[in-house]
Amino acid sequence: MDSFSTVIRAASHEQHKEANTSTFMSDLLGGRLGVDAYARYTEQLWFVYEALEAGAERLAADPVAGPFVRPELFRLPSLERDLAHLRGPGWRAGLSALPATEAYAARVRECAERWPGGYVAHHYTRYLGDLSGGQIIRDRAERTWGLAKKGDGVRFYVFEAIANPAAFKRSYRELLDSVRADELERQRVVAECKRAYALNIAVLRALGEEFPLSA
């Protein structure tokens, strides 16, 4: 029988690929969009991570979600430094969520408040995704818009407290495998992972509509 982490990874493989090859992400990584599009994307991430991390302290003692609450993963302070660099010191005043982002953040918050297993699903799709594929975005951002290497503007993608990302991801998957849940609950968590990807793809689609590539 496959491990829980393997089942989750396999179940969301196609959606993971769809997110990475969305029109907006393809244009962003291809250097065809300006830094404003990158800043707008960073703003949307702020809303999602604010929802993820606002409830983290309360979940720290939870038997299911608690082991995943790792301060070395927290992204909100880095996102805020990036936005201050990209948008200026008054970045909060201009901060706005797309409707798709509001729906995504609302679902994350709902899981954080009512369903620890669902919170783990969102935690997994975001943090492990940014620890892995996020490094490609960082590299492109540094090269395309002249942002300082691992500096302000791309700090979100720099996990300074994680010395060995490969070892960390292995230990994270071991945590997933040890989640105390019956088969039905595990199926619900897998379904929520897929929902998380769908919510993320909706945000990328909305960004693609806001930043259509001129012909």
Side-chain angles (χ1 to χ4, degrees):
M1 183 183 285
D2 287 334
S3 66
F4 188 35
S5 59
T6 301
V7 171
I8 287 177
R9 200 173 185 179
S12 54
H13 176 71
E14 287 304 313
Q15 287 173 298
H16 185 238
K17 199 161 66 175
E18 186 182 346
N20 289 342
T21 57
S22 68
T23 302
F24 176 77
M25 195 53 73
S26 296
D27 289 342
L28 195 71
L29 295 179
R32 295 183 290 275
L33 295 173
V35 70
D36 187 51
Y38 172 71
R40 187 75 170 122
Y41 173 59
T42 306
E43 286 178 348
Q44 304 316 298
L45 290 174
W46 184 90
F47 287 99
V48 177
Y49 278 88
E50 194 278 331
L52 267 171
E53 294 175 12
E57 191 176 331
R58 187 175 47 78
L59 284 165
D62 183 86
V64 173
F68 294 89
V69 178
R70 310 279 288 273
E72 63 266 40
L73 285 172
F74 289 172
R75 298 289 86 206
L76 213 52
S78 299
L79 275 169
E80 293 179 353
R81 282 188 67 169
D82 287 344
L83 286 169
H85 181 78
L86 294 164
R87 295 297 202 199
W91 64 272
R92 281 183 190 272
L95 197 63
S96 66
L98 291 161
T101 305
E102 288 178 349
Y104 189 178
R107 180 58 183 169
V108 172
R109 197 168 284 111
E110 183 182 3
C111 288
E113 291 170 0
R114 301 180 186 177
W115 179 29
Y119 178 82
V120 169
H122 287 279
H123 194 282
Y124 162 77
T125 56
R126 283 274 27 136
Y127 290 107
L128 242 60
D130 293 316
L131 190 56
S132 303
Q135 303 317 303
I136 298 166
I137 301 175
R138 176 182 64 77
D139 179 65
R140 294 289 194 279
E142 290 166 356
R143 289 193 288 159
T144 306
W145 303 297
L147 297 169
K149 191 170 177 62
K150 295 189 176 182
D152 290 347
V154 295
R155 288 190 184 278
F156 170 72
Y157 302 102
V158 182
F159 291 77
E160 290 177 333
I162 298 175
N164 187 333
F168 183 89
K169 283 184 276 189
R170 278 196 301 275
S171 69
Y172 189 103
R173 291 192 179 100
E174 286 167 5
L175 274 181
L176 279 175
D177 293 339
S178 65
V179 164
R180 285 183 279 174
D182 61 22
E183 185 55 33
L184 182 61
E185 175 68 356
R186 288 188 173 211
Q187 286 176 16
R188 288 182 69 217
V189 172
V190 170
E192 191 65 27
C193 280
K194 295 175 83 166
R195 183 172 181 173
Y197 274 110
L199 288 163
N200 183 51
I201 289 166
V203 173
L204 295 174
R205 193 175 294 126
L207 284 165
E209 290 168 5
E210 191 170 307
F211 294 92
L213 196 58
S214 23

